[in-house]
Amino acid sequence: MLTGWGRTAPSAGRVIDLDGDAVRGAPHEALPIDEGRGAIPRGLGRSYGDPAQNGGGSVLRVLPGRSPISLDRNAATVTADAGVSFDDLLRVLVPAGFFVPVTPGTRFITVGGAIASDIHGKNHHVDGTFGHHCTRISLLTADGELRTLTPADGDLWWATIGGMGLTGLIVDATFDLIPIETSQCLVRTQRIANFDALVDTMAADDQRYSVAWVDLLASGAALGRSVLTCGEHARLDDLSAKQRRDPLAFAPPSLIDVPRGGPNVLSRAAVRAFNEVWYRKARRDHVGPESITGFFHPLDMVGAWNRLYGGAGFLQYQFVVPDDEVDTMRVAIERVVASGHASFLAVLKRFGPANPAMLSFPTSGWTLTLDVPAAASDLHVLLSELDELVLGAGGRHYLAKDAHITPSIVRAGYPRLAEWKAVRRSVDPHGYWISDQARRLGLLEEEVA
Ligand SMILES: Cc1cc2nc3c(=O)[nH]c(=O)nc-3n(C[C@H](O)[C@H](O)[C@H](O)COP(=O)(O)OP(=O)(O)OC[C@H]3O[C@@H](n4cnc5c(N)ncnc54)[C@H](O)[C@@H]3O)c2cc1C
């Protein structure tokens, strides 16, 4: 029985582990025979909804082979098996003086999942998405062929990046790295009083990484009050003498694991208290070093934190609106605040331009991410209002987070969906690759003109 990270919509599938080396050796024998419900690749299940599950069908995990990570120091590139986690990668790369080109808010995702969702990080406005930094992918397609793709392959390349595992199973990939002098980041933390000040500050920001935590319970003059963190990889000169003794040390801590079966402890009162403390504990304006874990992956210090929402789970709702729709973003925040739906994780970020991938989510503008308990009353009312605002502004929703949108919403948000479907069909005419999300959103269905 599988779910995504939000723990909603479970479905039972046959989970099959494939050995990466075996797939490379005999790709034609690797794919299980379709028993009528197809197959979908799965990484570490950190997408929030149902893209990595396939009720009644097969769910394929490609396990790292014997030498899963191959670093080319001179070229500043790495070739990694698709099942390698960012946790494993960083433990090799950071001590060697490199960082992944893009990281999400957790290091417990795989290379395959990063490409299939075309993930973005705090540096999207400077560096673009993960797919932008890939130079080669091996893809096992539905006909059992292992294809080597590069950006020169055009359509199939760009349909695979952000393609949610529906063009085939990524077996390994090569991508560029960021050289680093230290494993610390130099981070500026600023308390920002309201939404207008936040947007102005973020628009003027020229740091490589930036993201704002927003208090979605603050209203009136304090609407959009936030804590903005901007940073760069620290140089050797930025470190203290003690830190300079082992400047590339990387030992991410894991503090506690949330136990199974607990109730939803993220009540409105708890979230209000959390938000107040979070805002107050941030310094007004401070610059200092932070570890990679503290800056990029703070949630990883609490294992299985998704259980905090209780058995019903939670939705993560993430959308983007274009640059000139800042007012829509303000209205969206007002609606969430007025609905009273508690969100202890709410993040605002500025995106740079989109890439050519047809289903890639990021596009020039502003993106907001919020968590809502799935059992919250009248949740559908709030989400429908937000959907209308987002689509009305020419925006869209992130498929890796989605557990709620409909076929018409995805069609409106992704104008190149029909193009993507045609490319997908050219390599998988019978729909071997399919997920619960693909069924829910009609991603395999032919578009009618
Ligand atoms: C705490 C947290 C923070 C996050 N922060 C961010 C963020 O800042 N930015 C961001 O972009 N995302 C973020 N995410 C989402 C996450 O990065 C993506 O959902 C990512 O795809 C998860 O990778 P995974 O290996 O767990 O893949 P899964 O969730 O297992 O699968 C996701 C998709 O990838 C496909 N897939 C997986 N492996 C392969 C493969 N080998 N070949 C082909 N397709 C494959 C699956 O079929 C599925 O469609 C966050 C998630 C969490 C839990």
Side-chain angles (χ1 to χ4, degrees):
M1 193 65 90
L2 296 172
T3 68
W5 189 246
R7 304 174 73 221
T8 55
S11 71
R14 193 161 55 109
V15 178
I16 300 172
D17 288 343
L18 302 177
D19 175 321
D21 291 332
V23 175
R24 276 183 286 263
H28 280 278
E29 288 155 30
L31 291 182
I33 292 171
D34 182 6
E35 289 173 359
R37 296 282 288 178
I40 193 72
R42 184 176 175 96
L44 283 173
R46 260 26 181 220
S47 47
Y48 280 74
D50 50 0
Q53 59 198 61
N54 178 26
S58 303
V59 176
L60 309 185
R61 295 188 304 191
V62 55
L63 302 185
R66 272 184 303 277
S67 41
I69 302 174
S70 165
L71 170 64
D72 183 336
R73 288 170 189 261
N74 294 330
T77 64
V78 69
T79 296
D81 281 3
V84 166
S85 71
F86 276 35
D87 182 49
D88 290 337
L89 260 182
L90 291 174
R91 288 173 196 272
V92 171
L93 297 181
V94 174
F98 294 98
F99 195 63
V100 285
V102 169
T103 179
T106 172
R107 55 182 201 283
F108 296 111
I109 68 154
T110 63
V111 169
I115 297 170
S117 297
D118 197 20
I119 59 159
H120 56 272
K122 297 178 182 198
N123 55 342
H124 186 272
H125 59 296
V126 174
D127 293 315
T129 62
F130 191 80
H132 178 72
H133 300 275
C134 292
T135 52
R136 190 200 58 85
I137 292 172
S138 359
L139 183 73
L140 180 62
T141 41
D143 52 8
E145 203 182 312
L146 188 61
R147 303 172 192 230
T148 300
L149 303 180
T150 69
D153 287 291
D155 285 350
L156 185 54
W157 174 267
W158 292 115
T160 298
I161 289 175
M164 303 309 289
L166 296 166
T167 60
L169 180 85
I170 297 162
V171 180
D172 50 61
T174 304
F175 49 92
D176 297 332
L177 300 170
I178 300 176
I180 51 175
E181 286 182 18
T182 80
S183 58
Q184 299 285 307
C185 298
L186 198 60
V187 181
R188 179 174 183 193
T189 305
Q190 291 166 271
R191 257 201 248 169
I192 311 274
N194 57 40
F195 181 74
D196 289 341
L198 176 63
V199 167
D200 288 348
T201 316
M202 287 185 94
D205 155 55
D206 60 355
Q207 301 266 295
R208 182 171 216 158
Y209 300 103
S210 80
V211 74
W213 167 86
V214 185
D215 181 356
L216 284 186
L217 289 173
S219 57
L223 183 93
R225 77 172 180 172
S226 30
V227 177
L228 174 63
T229 47
C230 304
E232 308 271 354
H233 293 283
R235 321 274 312 232
L236 263 180
D237 291 349
D238 298 320
L239 300 193
S240 64
K242 188 175 163 215
Q243 285 171 323
R244 247 178 274 166
R245 268 183 243 141
D246 191 3
L248 291 165
F250 182 66
S254 177
L255 303 179
I256 50 162
D257 248 19
V258 175
R260 281 177 200 282
N264 173 9
V265 294
L266 292 175
S267 64
R268 187 172 153 76
V271 173
R272 185 174 288 285
F274 171 88
N275 285 9
E276 200 57 43
V277 170
W278 194 262
Y279 184 71
R280 300 269 160 225
K281 96 168 182 24
R283 311 249 198 104
R284 246 172 239 292
D285 193 350
H286 172 260
V287 179
E290 258 190 63
S291 68
I292 284 172
T293 307
F295 185 50
F296 292 108
H297 311 129
L299 290 168
D300 288 347
M301 287 189 249
V302 183
W305 61 263
N306 55 345
R307 294 184 191 144
L308 291 171
Y309 283 97
F314 68 108
L315 302 187
Q316 186 164 93
Y317 187 88
Q318 182 171 4
F319 64 91
V320 57
V321 291
D323 284 312
D324 55 1
E325 291 287 347
V326 171
D327 287 339
T328 304
M329 183 58 84
R330 183 205 318 273
V331 174
I333 292 176
E334 279 168 359
R335 296 271 170 91
V336 178
V337 172
S339 77
H341 284 305
S343 182
F344 99 108
L345 262 190
V347 169
L348 187 82
K349 154 109 215 89
R350 187 162 61 101
F351 277 157
N355 66 27
M358 300 138 209
L359 293 192
S360 179
F361 166 67
T363 179
S364 204
W366 299 90
T367 182
L368 182 72
T369 308
L370 54 123
D371 283 358
V372 212
S377 61
D378 290 340
L379 184 56
H380 61 286
V381 177
L382 170 67
L383 297 188
S384 316
E385 279 181 14
L386 293 179
D387 293 343
E388 209 172 299
L389 277 173
V390 170
L391 296 183
R396 59 189 178 216
H397 302 75
Y398 188 14
L399 295 179
K401 304 286 181 75
D402 163 59
H404 129 92
I405 63 171
T406 60
S408 61
I409 293 178
V410 76
R411 208 175 294 128
Y414 289 86
R416 296 178 64 204
L417 181 63
E419 196 187 326
W420 176 82
K421 285 184 174 185
V423 180
R424 200 212 61 76
R425 204 172 309 114
S426 71
V427 284
D428 182 15
H430 306 298
Y432 179 84
W433 299 108
I434 186 161
S435 62
D436 287 358
Q437 181 181 54
R439 284 193 188 91
R440 175 167 59 82
L441 298 180
L443 294 180
L444 267 48
E445 284 161 26
E446 215 154 325
E447 290 293 304
V448 192

